[in-house]
Structure formats: structure tokens, C-alpha cells
Amino acid sequence: MTWTNLKKMALLAVAGVGIAGGALAQEPNDPFRGPALEALKDKWIAYLPISAGFDLAQAWGGVVKEESQRYGMKFTIQDPNWSTDAMAQGMTSLIAEHPDVIVTQNPDTQSLARLMMQANRLGITVIQMNMQGAVQTDAFVGPDYVAMGREIAEMAIKQCGEGTDTSHKISIVQGVLTGGVSYFQVQGIMEVLKGREDIQIVSSQAADWDASKARAITETVLQQHPDLCAILDMWDGQAIGTGAAVKQAGLADSVTVITSGGGAASTCDLIRDDTFDIVYNYDAPGMGRDAWTAIMIALQNGGGGKLKTQVFSPTYVMTKDNVDKASCWDSEIYASRLR
């Protein structure tokens, strides 16, 4: 083969690549994007939290609403304002109206179970946020509360167990006894603490997610046990009352308050002012993103309970040592997105 022929072949090869490359560059269609968008097109997402007036629900809903609007979907919200009866009525109404997706937060493990199953049978995608119900739907999005409970118990042992110069006494402030956040955390806690002789649980009572009840419970426990070592409260919104009681008693330096929550700026402030000592943060805006991801996966796979997924959101521990480096989000930003 002559040098001239080689040059001609090289030029043709380069031209071929250029033509092919140009064709690819001009090709507007991703073959996988189209079907994904078609699965989202004109769909209706109905949001039914326990209440629209608190930071967790605002973060989840704010993220899902913003993303759904980005893709031209309909987003609606109902606010039962902490009423289980209103939630059940709202779910019943939604099933009759047949949205494509219901994103809800169980008030307890049983109240919405039958209705969620009914919605799935009718082809409605159901995403459960934060509070696992007694049935499995398209997705549960929230922390692995059993694992979190185990970690909290290990932290209590570290603070108050064998080898520590303390009374070894702890108190547990539960939420709603059958509410998923409390129920599964306490399962994990008791799994670790059961049978331990170096930890004494002097109180385990339900405050029903009410900060004033948590405060009253804690005031009584501290009167009976002023040498208490630690309090494990199942939610930071409730633990505001718990921590306030500890500070009121002048025991903030000796009683460790351990709780969990979504990591809002208000919680970070409560760590800074010694109301809370240790907070397990499950990043509520991140959970909103997890919920949106679960919605996309469910809709692209037919929805209506065809796939059943547990989406365990990541958690991390916040203390005074690292709170200034944490992602402390402003709840008002997400509340404004829901308006």
C-alpha cells in the first residue's frame, strides 16, 4: 500500500468519525429519558402528613412539591393537624378521588393500614414517611429506627453504664406508644438494654409527641431521681420539654439528654444552648429527596404496590463538638415551598 493510499484512508476514517460524532451530538433523544418522563407525566401526588405545621413535614413536602412541579405534576396537600380521625377521613377521600401517588405519615402502626392496602389494590402508589405502618406499601422512607434505637442504647451505656461514675439511672420518654418512630426505637433500645445490670431504667412513659407532657414527666422523674444520669427522648420536637425540665432543675451538667430528629436549625440551637446533648440527625430534606426518588422508582415500575421498598435514610450524630459543621436547615425555607 502506497503512502498516498494510507493518507486517503486516514482522512476517510477521520471524516467518518466526524460524521458519526456529529450525528450523535445532534441526536436530541435519550432513549431512556423518554419513558421515565412519560411515567411522571400529568401524575397527581397527594400529600397527607400528620400535620403540615411542623418542620419534618415541611421539609419532606417542600422537596417533593418542588420536584413534582419541575416535571409538570399536580401536587396537593391536606393538613389533619395531628388528628388521627381527620387523617383517616382524608385518606378515605383521597382513595375515592384516586390520585396517582399518596405520600403519608402514619400516626401509629394500625390506623391507616387497611386504607393503605385498599389504595394499593386500586393501583395508587403509597409512600410512607418516617412512621412505618403495619403493612408494606410501595415504599417506606425514614431511618432504620430499630438500628437507631440500638445505637442510642449503646450511647446511654457509654454515658451511664459500668465503669462510669454515675448512678447508672436512665429515663425513657416515648412518643405515641404505637407510633413507628417511638415503637421501633424503643424496640432497639430494649434489645440492647434488656438484662443489663449496670443500667437501671427508672421511668418509661409516653408523652404523645407533646413537649409539655414530656416536660411534666421529666420534672416528676427528676424530683424522684435527682441523680439521674441520662434521658432518652424519641423525638426532638417533644424533647424540647424534656431538656427544658432538666435545665429548670439545674441538672444540665449532670443529666445527658439524648434524642433524634430531622436536623433543623432550631435543633442545632438547642444543642448549642445545652438543652440537648446528643441528637441523632436523620436529615429531613434528605428524606424528602429519598421520597421523591421512591416516587420516581414506583411510577416507572407501575406503582400500586408492585415493588415494595424500605428506603432507610442515613443518620449521623450531632453534639456540641460538631454542630457548627452540621447541615442545620431553615424550616421556613421549606414551609414557604408548601404554601
Side-chain angles (χ1 to χ4, degrees):
M1 184 176 291
T2 67
W3 173 246
T4 302
N5 287 336
L6 284 171
K7 284 176 66 178
K8 286 180 179 179
M9 290 179 66
L11 288 170
L12 286 170
V14 170
V17 170
I19 291 167
L24 286 173
Q26 292 170 14
E27 175 57 57
N29 294 320
D30 175 346
F32 307 112
R33 180 173 182 268
L37 294 180
E38 190 63 30
L40 306 181
K41 185 179 179 181
D42 299 327
K43 295 298 192 291
W44 171 18
I45 299 175
Y47 185 39
L48 182 66
I50 290 176
S51 169
F54 75 114
D55 56 9
L56 293 178
Q58 290 162 354
W60 307 327
V63 172
V64 172
K65 180 180 180 181
E66 188 169 69
E67 292 304 311
S68 64
Q69 290 180 334
R70 190 189 309 277
Y71 292 96
M73 301 166 76
K74 178 182 176 182
F75 180 94
T76 59
I77 181 171
Q78 292 187 35
D79 184 4
N81 194 27
W82 301 99
S83 168
T84 299
D85 287 343
M87 278 205 81
Q89 291 169 11
M91 180 69 87
T92 301
S93 297
L94 285 174
I95 290 170
E97 296 172 42
H98 208 287
D100 299 285
V101 181
I102 297 174
V103 180
T104 192
Q105 181 189 12
N106 293 290
D108 53 63
T109 56
Q110 292 292 341
S111 293
L112 300 183
R114 179 184 59 80
L115 292 168
M116 290 190 297
M117 289 178 64
Q118 182 182 351
N120 260 181
R121 283 196 298 268
L122 292 172
I124 300 171
T125 295
V126 179
I127 310 295
Q128 301 178 57
M129 295 299 301
N130 203 47
M131 304 265 267
Q132 175 70 56
V135 299
Q136 192 174 21
T137 57
D138 299 79
F140 163 75
V141 177
D144 179 350
Y145 279 111
V146 173
M148 182 187 292
R150 291 175 185 149
E151 289 184 27
I152 287 172
E154 294 291 351
M155 186 65 73
I157 292 168
K158 183 178 178 180
Q159 299 290 321
C160 306
E162 186 177 359
T164 62
D165 185 20
T166 69
S167 66
H168 310 307
K169 295 178 180 179
I170 70 169
S171 170
I172 298 174
V173 184
Q174 301 189 45
V176 172
L177 290 176
T178 56
V181 170
S182 186
Y183 178 75
F184 292 111
Q185 269 190 93
V186 171
Q187 273 195 352
I189 289 168
M190 297 312 298
E191 183 181 306
V192 172
L193 297 184
K194 184 178 180 181
R196 291 191 67 100
E197 296 181 357
D198 60 333
I199 294 290
Q200 181 185 359
I201 301 172
V202 298
S203 172
S204 182
Q205 300 180 60
D208 300 325
W209 308 132
D210 186 328
S212 61
K213 288 184 181 179
R215 181 168 187 160
I217 288 168
T218 303
E219 286 174 346
T220 301
V221 171
L222 291 174
Q223 288 169 7
Q224 296 170 345
H225 303 278
D227 59 344
L228 192 71
C229 177
I231 303 174
L232 318 183
D233 192 304
M234 299 303 102
W235 175 48
D236 60 1
Q238 172 180 276
I240 292 170
T242 298
V246 172
K247 290 180 76 173
Q248 178 78 27
L251 295 172
D253 291 336
S254 60
V255 178
T256 301
V257 177
I258 305 174
T259 188
S260 62
S266 56
T267 295
C268 295
D269 290 340
L270 290 165
I271 294 172
R272 293 186 185 103
D273 76 3
D274 298 319
T275 301
F276 301 151
D277 296 291
I278 300 168
V279 176
Y280 280 76
N281 181 351
Y282 40 81
D283 183 20
M287 283 178 61
R289 177 175 175 171
D290 292 342
W292 172 247
T293 301
I295 290 167
M296 287 193 295
I297 290 171
L299 289 178
Q300 289 176 56
N301 287 277
K306 291 182 176 63
L307 294 177
K308 291 181 169 60
T309 308
Q310 300 291 102
V311 183
F312 292 135
S313 299
T315 63
Y316 63 95
V317 177
M318 290 197 307
T319 67
K320 208 166 187 176
D321 291 337
N322 68 359
V323 67
D324 290 331
K325 298 177 183 178
S327 177
C328 302
W329 49 275
D330 185 347
S331 60
E332 179 54 33
I333 291 174
Y334 293 94
S336 67
R337 294 177 185 178
L338 278 181
R339 295 187 187 118

